[in-house]
Amino acid sequence: MASNVYECLFILDPNRYARDPQGVSGTIPEMVEKFSGEVLANRLWNEQKLAYPINGHRKGTYWLTYFRMDSGELAGFNRACQLNDYVMRHMATKIDPRLVDILVAHARGEKTAEELAEEAAAEEDAPAAAASEGAGSESVAAGSNE
C-alpha cells in the first residue's frame, strides 16, 4: 500500500494534560509508531473553549501532528485514537504531497526555502533602497540651502 502524509488534529482532555503534559503528549507518537508510522512534526497548538461540551468538558487542548503512515494502517490508528482515554476527538486528513514540506516546516517553526529566498531578496534590496533614500534627502537639503 501507499505511504501518505497525514495531518491529525487532536482535542485532548485538558485536565489530564494539565496533570501530565509529557505523558499525554507522548502517547501520540507512540500510537503513530505502533502502526508503523513516522512522526514528522508534533506540537501543542492551543488550549481553548470548545464550541460544544465533549464528555462534560468545556475546554480542550488542541494538539497538531504530522505523520507518514501506510494508508492501510490508518483505520487501526483511528480506532486506537478512539480507545485512548486522553483523546476526546481527532481528525486525520491526507495532505497533498506538494504541500508536505511547507506544512511540516511551519509546524516545526522552521523557515521554508521560499521564505529564506524572500528574506535574502529583501536584504539585497534594503541597502540599495537606503542609499537611494539617503541621496534623495541630501538633494532636497541641498536645494533648500540655495
Side-chain angles (χ1 to χ4, degrees):
M1 295 228 152
S3 178
N4 297 311
V5 175
Y6 297 93
E7 173 186 76
C8 191
L9 184 64
F10 297 90
I11 301 177
L12 303 175
D13 182 332
N15 297 330
R16 292 180 186 211
Y17 183 80
R19 277 186 255 131
D20 185 18
Q22 299 300 325
V24 173
S25 62
T27 61
I28 294 170
E30 289 173 6
M31 284 192 302
V32 171
E33 291 165 4
K34 178 181 174 185
F35 292 96
S36 305
E38 171 193 2
V39 176
L40 304 174
N42 190 36
R43 72 179 191 94
L44 174 67
W45 179 308
N46 196 5
E47 184 172 327
Q48 66 184 33
K49 183 179 174 188
L50 300 170
Y52 56 90
I54 300 174
N55 301 333
H57 295 282
R58 296 196 178 277
K59 288 180 118 182
T61 301
Y62 288 72
W63 193 271
L64 180 65
T65 302
Y66 288 92
F67 59 91
R68 180 172 285 137
M69 183 180 286
D70 189 40
S71 59
E73 299 287 336
L74 190 62
F77 172 77
N78 284 331
R79 182 69 179 148
C81 290
Q82 291 171 348
L83 295 174
N84 189 315
D85 292 335
Y86 301 136
V87 179
M88 296 192 309
R89 294 284 191 275
H90 78 286
M91 183 174 72
T93 308
K94 181 181 168 186
I95 301 298
D96 187 326
R98 296 173 290 185
L99 300 175
V100 169
D101 294 334
I102 295 168
L103 292 173
V104 170
H106 182 70
R108 289 180 180 167
E110 300 170 351
K111 293 187 179 185
T112 62
E114 294 170 0
E115 291 173 334
L116 292 172
E118 288 176 5
E119 285 181 2
E123 288 175 4
E124 289 175 4
D125 292 341
S132 66
E133 287 176 12
S137 63
E138 289 174 9
S139 63
V140 170
S144 63
N145 288 338
E146 292 179 13

